[in-house]
Amino acid sequence: MLRVLGIESSCDETGVALYSSEEGLLAQALHSQVAVHREFGGVVPELASRNHVQHIVPLVDSVLTKAGLNKTDIDAVAYTAGPGLVGALLVGASFAKSLSFALNIPAIAVHHLEAHLLAAKLDSPDLEFPFTALLVSGGHTQLFEARSLGNYALLGETLDDAVGEAFDKTAKLMGLAYPGGPLLAKLADVADEQACSEMPAFPRPMLNRPGFDFSFSGLKTSVRYFLQKNFPLNDFGTEIHNISASLQEAIVDVISQKSINAALKHNISQISISGGVSANSRLRNKLSENASKKGIQLFMPNLSYCLDNAAMIGFLASKKYKAKPADYVD
Ligand code: KG4
Ligand code: ZN
C-alpha cells in the first residue's frame, strides 16, 4: 500500500489530501483564498503565496488528524510542479521537498493539468484509456485524446480566452464579483425559458469549423455590445438571469458539441470532463444527455474534484509511482 500526501498550491487554493493506493482518499482539506482576492477583481500573486505559507502546515495537520495517522505513516509526498503562479507553486514544492527530506520519502512532482485530466478516474475506475478528455478551467480549454498514463494527444485548444475566463469576464461586465463563473451559473439556473428563447442568441464561435480549437474572446465582446445597446445604465434587473443563461447555453453548446465530435471522429466511446468549469450543472446535464444519444459514456468528477484540489494530486502521484517506482528512488 502506498499513502501519498498531495499538496496543491498553484493558484488561489491551498489543498492537502492523503490518498491511499488501496483504500482511496483517506482525508482532504482545502482553503480557498477567494475572499483575499475578491476586492482586487482577480488573483494577486504575492498575496496568494503568502496565504499558502500561512495555511499549508495547519492543513497538513488537519488532514492527518482526520485520517487518524501520523507523518511517519506517509509513504510519499506529491506536489503541483506547474503550471501556475511561480511564488505559489514554490510554497507547495518547498514544503513537499522539505517533508520528503525529513521523512526520507520520495517527492513526486505532478503536472496540474494532467491531475485535472485524470480527476474523473478518482471515483470512476470504469473510465479507461483511451478516452476523450475535455479540460475546462479558468486558465485552460483543451481537448485531448488520453491514450495512457502520461500520453495525451492534444486535439484542440482555445486560441484566446479560456472557458472559465469567458464566464468570469462576462460576469464582471454584469457587475458580479470575482470569480463570476459560479455566480453567473447560479443566476442562469433560474432563468425564464420563454424570455431566453426570445433573446437574440449569442454566437457559437468555431462550432462549424473543422478541427477542435475554440475561441471565446468574440463571445465576450458580443455580450459587451449586447449589454451596451440594451442596458446602457447597467439596469439589468431580472433580465440578468436570462442573459446569463443565454451566454451559458452558447458556451455549453460549443464545448459539448466539440467534445462529442472529437470522440466520434477518433472512435472513442468515453468522454471525461475536468477543471473548474466541469462543475457547471448545465454542462454536466447537456453533455451527458447528448453523449448518451450518441452511445458515448460521460465521466464527470465529483464536484469537489472539479476545482483545484489536492486529492487529484495525490491520486495521480500514486499512479505515477506505481507505474515507475524506480523514477523516485534517490
Ligand atoms: O480549475 P480551476 O479551479 O482553476 C484553474 O486552474 O483555473 O477553475 C476555476 C474556473 C473559474 O474561471 C471559475 O469561474 C470557473 O472555473 N467555474 C465555473 C463554475 N465553477 C467554477 N464556471 C462556470 N460554472 C460553474 N459552476
Ligand atoms: Zn486548476
Side-chain angles (χ1 to χ4, degrees):
M1 179 171 59
L2 184 77
R3 285 196 197 107
V4 184
L5 184 77
I7 309 278
E8 157 62 36
S9 71
S10 64
C11 191
D12 59 348
E13 259 119 13
T14 323
V16 175
L18 194 57
Y19 182 83
S20 152
S21 58
E22 303 299 314
E23 295 160 303
L25 186 66
L26 301 176
Q28 68 168 329
L30 191 79
H31 168 73
S32 166
Q33 303 178 358
V34 161
V36 174
H37 303 291
R38 184 165 281 144
E39 66 173 295
F40 305 101
V43 179
V44 182
E46 180 59 20
L47 295 182
S49 311
R50 287 166 187 249
N51 203 274
H52 286 305
V53 171
Q54 282 175 344
H55 288 94
I56 198 158
V57 174
L59 285 171
V60 170
D61 288 343
S62 112
V63 162
L64 287 171
T65 305
K66 276 193 221 171
L69 295 168
N70 295 312
K71 285 194 184 72
T72 47
D73 297 316
I74 304 169
D75 302 307
V77 55
Y79 62 96
T80 303
L85 302 171
V86 173
L89 289 166
L90 207 59
V91 178
S94 315
F95 178 85
K97 289 192 178 177
S98 311
L99 196 66
S100 136
F101 185 70
L103 299 173
N104 196 21
I105 54 174
I108 304 173
V110 164
H111 193 285
H112 183 77
L113 299 180
E114 185 180 8
H116 269 306
L117 220 120
L118 299 185
K121 270 173 90 63
L122 254 158
D123 284 330
S124 304
D126 292 353
L127 174 62
E128 278 176 10
F129 296 113
F131 59 90
T132 303
L134 172 72
L135 172 61
V136 274
S137 73
H140 296 87
T141 298
Q142 295 173 317
L143 252 178
F144 293 94
E145 181 183 325
R147 293 178 176 161
S148 61
L149 188 67
N151 180 0
Y152 313 100
L154 182 67
L155 305 177
E157 62 185 334
T158 184
L159 304 177
D160 39 59
D161 289 353
V163 175
E165 238 178 317
F167 271 108
D168 294 342
K169 288 181 176 172
T170 318
K172 200 170 183 180
L173 291 177
M174 296 195 287
L176 303 179
Y178 173 86
L183 298 177
L184 189 150
K186 232 183 217 162
L187 290 172
D189 280 348
V190 283
D192 175 341
E193 236 173 82
Q194 179 65 29
C196 286
S197 68
E198 286 162 11
M199 270 179 66
F202 292 123
R204 270 64 174 157
M206 300 188 66
L207 186 56
N208 296 318
R209 291 227 202 134
F212 300 106
D213 285 335
F214 305 89
S215 165
F216 293 104
S217 66
L219 181 54
K220 172 195 65 197
T221 308
S222 78
V223 177
R224 182 195 295 273
Y225 289 147
F226 174 83
L227 296 179
Q228 279 170 355
K229 185 170 167 216
N230 296 286
F231 303 95
L233 303 175
N234 290 346
D235 50 348
F236 311 117
T238 54
E239 270 302 292
I240 198 165
H241 296 283
N242 307 328
I243 304 163
S244 300
S246 300
L247 169 82
Q248 177 174 264
E249 207 58 27
I251 292 176
V252 166
D253 268 352
V254 173
I255 56 181
S256 47
Q257 203 48 57
K258 288 229 173 201
S259 306
I260 290 172
N261 291 348
L264 292 174
K265 178 165 181 209
H266 293 266
N267 211 10
I268 294 176
S269 61
Q270 296 187 324
I271 295 178
S272 83
I273 57 174
S274 57
V277 181
S278 67
N280 183 278
S281 56
R282 182 64 185 142
L283 172 64
R284 294 169 85 94
N285 291 336
K286 189 159 194 175
L287 187 50
S288 77
E289 222 173 81
N290 291 350
S292 85
K293 279 185 201 154
K294 300 282 180 188
I296 295 169
Q297 230 183 330
L298 178 68
F299 291 84
M300 304 179 273
N302 178 304
L303 287 183
S304 67
Y305 307 145
C306 292
L307 294 152
D308 288 346
N309 67 90
M312 66 182 189
I313 305 299
F315 173 71
L316 172 56
S318 83
K319 297 280 174 210
K320 285 176 61 145
Y321 187 89
K322 282 215 144 182
K324 278 190 178 175
D327 282 5
Y328 305 102
V329 176
D330 281 338

